[in-house]
């Protein structure tokens, strides 16, 4: 099975978690895309839900499928969010933001009772850090943030888009930070937040409840956070 088929399998699998009257956070990226398509199909068949999008792009896709949408500011809590990830470690700590939507993704995840991650199995790693960590920054001071991150044993820090910087939905830039290895994701997240100009990081610490991983042979593996397991 190729990667696209794995993403589709994982994304579509997650729709079974959605029940009538739920408020659902809807993720961003090529895996979440398949969840949104399956959710749209269920809505056409009569499923009653309301959704909050994690990006403008996701909002457009969901609206085109007739999924009822609410603004993030207009909800107190969400029952569940289904989103993708760039790396997932055995404790379900994540790197997200490869698609540039990390800020809204984190705000949506933070008000969700459950965060379900959908991914192809290649995203599952022993330790975070091979994937460059996205850090969302204020455009006016990005070079100062870059210098501070380089001083934190980071091999390379690149402005996404370089001479034509990528601008996020919220008007910020993204620095892709090549740490190579992140042995203590929680401490790194806190340290990055101490740098003036950092808006948010792609480290999602203690947020995910489950990861749905689709393998190349077509089987689905569900990994639950230790605190959520009954065994
Ligand atoms: C977007 C994200 C995505 O969830 C992450 O990049 C995974 O994307 P894909 O499913 O396309 O591999 O965090 O900001």
């Amino acid at each position: 099975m190729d990667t696209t088929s794995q993403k589709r399998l994982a994304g579509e699998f997650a729709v079974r978690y959605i029940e009538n009257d739920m408020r659902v956070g809807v993720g961003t990226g090529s895996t979440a895309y398949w969840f949104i398509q399956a959710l749209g199909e269920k809505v056409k068949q009569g499923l009653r839900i309301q959704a909050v999008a994690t990006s403008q792009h996701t909002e457009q896709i969901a609206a085109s499928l007739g999924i009822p949408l609410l603004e993030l500011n207009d909800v107190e809590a969400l029952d569940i969010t289904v989103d993708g990830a760039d790396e997932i470690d055995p404790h379900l700590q994540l790197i997200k933001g490869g698609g540039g939507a990390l800020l809204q993704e984190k705000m949506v995840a933070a008000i969700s009772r459950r965060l379900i991650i959908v991914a192809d199995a290649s995203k599952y790693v022993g330790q975070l850090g091979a994937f460059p960590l996205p850090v969302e920054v204020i455009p006016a001071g990005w070079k100062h943030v870059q210098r501070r991150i380089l001083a934190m044993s980071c091999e390379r820090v690149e402005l996404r888009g370089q001479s034509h910087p990528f601008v996020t939905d919220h008007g910020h830039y993204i620095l892709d930070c090549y740490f190579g290895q992140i042995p203590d994701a929680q401490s790194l997240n806190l340290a990055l937040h101490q740098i003036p100009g950092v808006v948010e990081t792609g480290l999602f610490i203690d947020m995910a409840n489950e990861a749905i991983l689709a393998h190349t042979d077509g089987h689905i593996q569900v990994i639950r956070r230790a605190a959520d397991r009954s065994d």
Side-chain angles (χ1 to χ4, degrees), residues 7 14 17-19 23 48 52 60 65 71 77 79-80 91 98 102 104 110 119 121 126 132 142 160 196 198 202 230:
K7 288 176 183 226
Y17 289 61
I18 312 302
E19 296 168 10
R23 289 190 160 176
R48 288 187 318 273
V52 172
Q60 283 161 11
L65 296 169
E71 293 293 322
D79 295 291
I80 191 165
H91 305 287
L102 61 125
Q104 180 104 353
W142 72 266
R160 190 176 295 181
V198 168
S230 53

Side-chain angles (χ1 to χ4, degrees), residues 193-230:
H193 274 286
Q194 297 303 310
I195 303 174
V198 168
V199 179
E200 194 46 270
T201 84
L203 287 168
F204 283 50
I205 307 297
D206 296 340
M207 296 188 99
N209 300 90
E210 285 186 31
I212 296 170
L213 303 176
H215 287 259
T216 46
D217 64 3
H219 90 272
I220 291 275
Q221 179 186 14
V222 179
I223 301 174
R224 293 189 180 84
R225 187 164 65 181
D228 295 347
R229 286 203 301 257
S230 53

Side-chain angles (χ1 to χ4, degrees), residues 49-65:
I49 54 119
Q50 292 175 304
V52 172
T54 52
S55 65
Q56 290 169 8
H57 186 58
T58 287
E59 189 173 321
Q60 283 161 11
I61 300 172
S64 75
L65 296 169

Side-chain angles (χ1 to χ4, degrees), residues 26 38 47 51 79 93-94 115 119-120 124 152 172 177 189 194 213 221:
V26 182
L47 181 74
D79 295 291
Q93 316 295 28
L94 314 171
L115 174 62
D120 65 276
Y124 191 64
M152 297 167 69
H172 305 129
C177 305
N189 188 42
Q194 297 303 310
L213 303 176
Q221 179 186 14

Side-chain angles (χ1 to χ4, degrees), residues 7 27-32 83-86 95-102 105 118-120 123 131:
K7 288 176 183 226
T28 295
S30 57
T31 316
D83 203 347
D86 300 299
I95 288 183
K96 283 184 52 53
L102 61 125
E105 288 174 336
V118 287
D120 65 276
K123 305 286 185 70
F131 189 90

Side-chain angles (χ1 to χ4, degrees), residues 86-165:
D86 300 299
E87 282 186 344
I88 305 158
D89 85 1
H91 305 287
L92 299 194
Q93 316 295 28
L94 314 171
I95 288 183
K96 283 184 52 53
L102 61 125
L103 175 56
Q104 180 104 353
E105 288 174 336
K106 204 182 266 194
M107 288 194 289
V108 169
I111 62 158
S112 298
R113 291 191 189 96
R114 290 171 78 199
L115 174 62
I116 309 296
I117 297 300
V118 287
D120 65 276
S122 72
K123 305 286 185 70
Y124 191 64
V125 297
Q127 186 182 83
L128 300 178
F131 189 90
L133 174 67
V135 176
E136 186 155 346
V137 296
I138 298 292
W142 72 266
K143 288 190 179 176
H144 297 286
V145 179
Q146 182 188 42
R147 274 194 281 277
R148 290 278 296 266
I149 298 177
L150 280 170
M152 297 167 69
S153 321
C154 187
E155 293 160 13
R156 204 162 87 239
V157 178
E158 282 180 3
L159 178 65
R160 190 176 295 181
Q162 304 200 354
S163 54
H164 301 287

